[in-house]
Amino acid sequence: MRARMAERRLSSDFYRRDAVTVARDLLGRVLARRLPDGRLLRAPIVEVEAYDGTRDRASHAFPGRTLRNAPMFAAGGIAYVYLIYGMHHCLNLVTGEADHPAAVLVRAAAWPEDPKAASGPGKLARAFAIDRALNGASLLGPDLWLEEGTPVPARAVARTRRIGVDYAGSWAARRLRFYVKGHPSVSGPRDLR
DNA sequence: GGTGCGATTGCA
DNA sequence: GCAATCGCACCA
């Protein structure tokens, strides 16, 4: 008998598509992290949000390129990690071509044996021990990567406006958040449109 | 050099 | 409903 085939990693081609396409396609994919002490952490993604281009008022790229948001301007396939409210880290996966700032915020994953451990972007970063040391890190490297997992069928995907961006005017109403319907690890309100 | 605030979370 | 807590963008 043979061992279960190792999960294939998502390649750079996966990330070099527009942020909304990547966001939708990320549901069911497995986020994987190798800790410095050797431990392996893995959990399927169940909630994401797309941030695409400098016209998106909710995006960190809206003011144009700065020191902070520079990773968003790179070609897809690296992480963009920032500190929010002075205490929580958020993991983003940079997408698209170089010089087009775009990324997908990973908001929740189905943590094994504790559905709430990675429910919300700050909690997810904490669960995976992700901080700014991983800002700009390759998603094809030894520390952080994604595996094919099991894509989620269209009937199981919900699409709503994004969380926590009410300041973004008309962009706040855009339905750029995707999550797995009814999944216990999804964060935030369930009654959004 | 000073000021304002946030792609959140947890507790009162 | 609101405090916690700090890097960084922006202005002087």
Side-chain angles (χ1 to χ4, degrees):
Chain A
M1 95 173 235
R2 71 187 162 81
R4 178 169 167 271
M5 195 188 306
E7 280 267 7
R8 250 201 305 272
R9 289 192 187 202
L10 298 179
S11 71
S12 64
D13 288 342
F14 180 90
Y15 304 100
R16 294 193 186 185
R17 298 176 293 165
D18 82 89
V20 177
T21 301
V22 174
R24 160 67 185 87
D25 199 6
L26 275 168
L27 296 179
R29 309 299 190 171
V30 175
L31 179 63
R33 165 98 166 102
R34 178 73 69 178
L35 299 179
D37 69 7
R39 273 188 298 156
L40 177 64
L41 307 177
R42 294 170 75 251
I45 292 171
V46 297
E47 181 186 358
V48 295
E49 286 177 355
Y51 291 83
D52 192 5
T54 53
R55 294 201 308 280
D56 180 356
R57 197 165 150 198
S59 173
H60 288 177
F62 179 70
R65 187 180 190 130
T66 66
L67 188 61
R68 179 204 202 195
N69 65 26
M72 291 185 73
F73 287 75
I78 66 170
Y80 166 46
V81 182
Y82 61 88
L83 181 66
I84 190 67
Y85 297 109
M87 62 190 93
H88 304 292
H89 293 275
C90 291
L91 169 67
N92 296 255
L93 310 180
V94 174
T95 68
E97 301 300 318
D99 298 322
H100 178 81
V104 176
L105 172 66
V106 185
R107 289 192 56 91
W111 197 258
E113 313 200 355
D114 183 0
K116 288 292 156 194
S119 177
K123 294 172 68 178
L124 181 143
R126 188 179 59 192
F128 279 90
I130 288 167
D131 62 21
R132 298 180 331 153
L134 285 173
N135 190 31
S138 172
L139 298 177
L140 312 175
D143 303 318
L144 188 66
W145 66 91
L146 278 88
E147 299 168 356
E148 285 189 353
T150 307
V152 175
R155 67 177 178 279
V157 176
R159 180 171 183 171
T160 75
R161 54 195 285 165
R162 295 170 292 183
I163 306 294
V165 297
D166 290 345
Y167 58 84
S170 64
W171 283 87
R174 300 244 180 159
R175 295 166 65 233
L176 297 175
R177 169 177 177 246
F178 299 87
Y179 65 85
V180 179
K181 280 183 192 170
H183 197 287
S185 296
V186 172
S187 72
R190 300 299 183 91
D191 52 356
L192 286 184
R193 259 180 274 174

